[in-house]
Amino acid sequence: MDVLAILIDWAPYLLTGVLVTLGLVLSALGLGVVMGLPMALGQVYGSRPLRWIVGIYVWFFRGLPILVLLFLFYFGIFPGLGLGDVPAFVVGAVVLGLRGAAYQSQIFRGAIQSIGEGQMIAARSLGMSRLTAIRSIILPQSVRIALPGWSNEYPNILTDSAVCYAIGVAELLTRASQIVSQTHVTMPIYIATAGVFILLNYGGIRILHRLEKRIAIPGFGSGAV
Amino acid sequence: MDQITFLTEILLPALMSGLVVTLQLIAVSAPFGLLLGIGVAVGRQYGGGILSPVCKVFVYLIKGTPLLLLLIILYFGLPSVGITFSAFTASVIGFILCNGAYNSEYIRGAILSIKDGQMVAAQALGMTRLQAIRNIILPQALIRAIPGLSNEFIYLIKYSSLAYMLTVIELSGAGKLVATKYFAYTETFMVVGLVYLALVTITTVAVNLLEKHVSVPGMIRGETSAMQL
């Protein structure tokens, strides 16, 4: 059978992997925001022990290779907590998310710290509580400043999601290697897979850039501060 | 068997031999990754109509493809077209390509931060373009690129673990073998993780010292660290 026919035959199977890969990436990005933003606030405004804990968390998750984290959680921590039956997909998404939170917290922290301290003082002197000031004054600005840096997390998490192959999540790369062992067609399959990753990568970046433009306030942005 | 004997007599010796392989992977990949990065950055910036787009496409393709897929292509894919590498060589080639592509972005950013006037002045003094790049532009650009390059070096330390997927028994691989044999996953991978943390932390400290050592008094510190990828 000729290579093109094989590629067309297996295309639906491979492309289902796109959904799995995007599922991994989007849940990791989401978990990263949900955890990373409070962590950043804790690191800037929190008490000394809290800052210390967040610092250790960030140090740990940024210092370990993604492969080691996946092995640690998939074979060690999840079964150790009695969650051995949790699907590999969930473990992959959680690990990518926990690690994403470490990176994203530093992006948010930088953005929060780039806002002049005077704004907090001014908000307090107008009678706002610290929490109100953070919510209404600091965050709306810092989230916009953080967005370009945050967008850079997308390609990082996308390429790292391929490492979930090591724990058998049925994402793009896993499916590609399954197809290779079924059909014995090697290079065309891998190159097609690389093509899909490249499309996802630069397509996603395009969409994020458009989003950045949409929520930007004219005259205010990472360049203006 | 108690924890201490497991740690000192089984785990640590195994990780030690794995660590040696990890350090070999890094030591071979990093210098060539830097050279490739310089070459691609210079090619992209000064390469003209043919070389410049080639460098651009190279960076685009490598950055778009997951490193693990690149490694799998090099080791499991290329034999089907008659090119065979050992697992170690395939890993090193993959790391050099990836590291070089990312390095080139930082170096290019640093080259762009150096004013055009310096090139014009160098040529006015009779230097050829190549001489000006080598003696005037690059020495300044490389110093400015240090924060970005050191980031990439740290990524290289961590991504060297992917060589295990090509059956190279480096640090993570050695850990995986012990963990599977003795069914001690959490302990083993925590220790493996601590070794990586130590490598990364030592590198960070060393880079800070290096940066202080090579900084030119009065020259603005590179702004490349702000554009981390």
Side-chain angles (χ1 to χ4, degrees):
Chain A
M1 199 154 83
D2 94 288
V3 172
L4 194 65
I6 292 180
L7 269 177
I8 293 169
D9 249 20
W10 286 90
Y13 185 72
L14 186 66
L15 293 178
T16 317
V18 172
L19 297 180
V20 182
T21 292
L22 282 181
L24 281 172
V25 173
L26 293 179
S27 34
L29 275 175
L31 185 60
V33 175
V34 170
M35 287 179 62
L37 202 52
M39 276 164 55
L41 289 172
Q43 227 175 1
V44 178
Y45 299 111
S47 60
R48 191 183 289 256
L50 185 63
R51 291 202 305 254
W52 203 71
I53 292 170
V54 175
I56 298 265
Y57 178 95
V58 171
W59 178 69
F60 182 83
F61 276 94
R62 291 209 304 185
L64 260 63
I66 183 71
L67 183 69
V68 175
L69 283 172
L70 284 170
F71 282 163
L72 176 65
F73 278 80
Y74 186 67
F75 295 114
I77 291 180
F78 270 73
L81 294 171
L83 298 170
D85 298 333
V86 168
F89 174 85
V90 176
V91 180
V94 167
V95 170
L96 286 170
L98 291 175
R99 198 171 91 112
Y103 280 99
Q104 289 179 37
S105 72
Q106 296 313 294
I107 296 168
F108 291 127
R109 185 178 69 121
I112 292 170
Q113 283 173 335
S114 74
I115 290 165
E117 273 175 62
Q119 295 210 21
M120 176 57 108
I121 298 170
R124 295 300 302 275
S125 70
L126 287 171
M128 287 187 191
S129 69
R130 255 173 101 80
L131 213 63
T132 315
I134 290 172
R135 200 168 50 91
S136 319
I137 309 289
I138 308 288
L139 277 185
Q141 302 179 68
S142 48
V143 166
R144 287 189 167 85
I145 294 172
L147 199 61
W150 185 82
S151 307
N152 280 337
E153 275 300 290
Y154 168 77
N156 292 346
I157 294 182
L158 177 68
T159 46
D160 279 346
S161 75
V163 183
C164 291
Y165 163 72
I167 59 168
V169 180
E171 45 72 65
L172 269 168
L173 183 54
T174 311
R175 284 168 191 258
S177 68
Q178 285 167 349
I179 298 171
V180 167
S181 56
Q182 289 267 326
T183 60
H184 301 289
V185 177
T186 319
M187 282 306 264
I189 304 277
Y190 284 136
I191 288 176
T193 312
V196 176
F197 269 112
I198 288 170
L199 279 178
L200 285 179
N201 203 330
Y202 294 108
I205 291 174
R206 269 230 157 121
I207 292 171
L208 283 167
H209 280 331
R210 207 166 287 171
L211 183 74
E212 266 169 49
K213 273 197 194 127
R214 179 163 299 180
I215 76 160
I217 297 173
F220 179 86
S222 49
V225 176
Chain B
M1 186 173 41
D2 66 299
Q3 294 281 329
I4 306 286
T5 18
F6 171 70
L7 189 70
T8 54
E9 300 202 346
I10 293 158
L11 185 56
L12 289 183
L15 293 189
M16 213 35 154
S17 56
L19 178 62
V20 173
V21 181
T22 290
L23 293 178
Q24 284 171 346
L25 284 168
I26 297 168
V28 181
S29 307
F32 290 106
L34 180 62
L35 285 179
L36 180 64
I38 296 173
V40 171
V42 170
R44 193 164 165 191
Q45 204 51 37
Y46 303 105
I50 297 165
L51 189 58
S52 179
V54 169
C55 292
K56 193 174 171 183
V57 169
F58 167 77
V59 174
Y60 191 84
L61 290 180
I62 297 285
K63 281 178 68 177
T65 315
L67 176 56
L68 183 55
L69 177 54
L70 181 65
L71 293 176
I72 287 178
I73 289 176
L74 287 168
Y75 187 58
F76 297 108
L78 286 185
S80 72
V81 289
I83 306 169
T84 311
F85 297 117
S86 73
F88 187 90
T89 314
S91 307
V92 166
I93 294 174
F95 296 150
I96 291 173
L97 291 176
C98 182
N99 190 244
Y102 280 94
N103 280 344
S104 79
E105 293 282 83
Y106 289 109
I107 297 170
R108 196 175 75 100
I111 290 176
L112 285 172
S113 78
I114 289 162
K115 292 207 171 64
D116 282 340
Q118 296 210 21
M119 175 58 102
V120 179
Q123 285 182 317
L125 287 171
M127 288 189 188
T128 64
R129 256 169 95 80
L130 214 61
Q131 278 176 326
I133 293 169
R134 201 161 54 93
N135 299 315
I136 308 291
I137 308 286
L138 275 183
Q140 302 177 69
L142 287 177
I143 289 177
R144 291 192 188 186
I146 287 177
L149 294 176
S150 60
N151 259 347
E152 282 316 311
F153 185 75
I154 288 172
Y155 277 117
L156 177 63
I157 295 175
K158 293 189 283 175
Y159 282 127
S160 70
S161 61
L162 294 182
Y164 166 61
M165 302 306 288
L166 308 190
T167 69
V168 178
I169 302 304
E170 40 62 74
L171 190 52
S172 323
K176 181 85 191 322
L177 293 182
V178 173
T180 314
K181 191 170 171 193
Y182 295 92
F183 209 72
Y185 291 101
T186 310
E187 305 88 316
T188 306
F189 288 123
M190 281 306 272
V191 176
V192 170
L194 287 177
V195 179
Y196 278 108
L197 273 176
L199 288 178
V200 169
T201 309
I202 292 169
T203 307
T204 313
V205 174
V207 165
N208 286 339
L209 289 177
L210 174 75
E211 223 177 310
K212 255 186 218 146
H213 184 71
V214 298
S215 72
V216 180
M219 199 174 102
I220 316 149
R221 199 168 158 248
E223 283 161 3
T224 38
S225 58
M227 34 173 276
Q228 284 173 9
L229 289 164

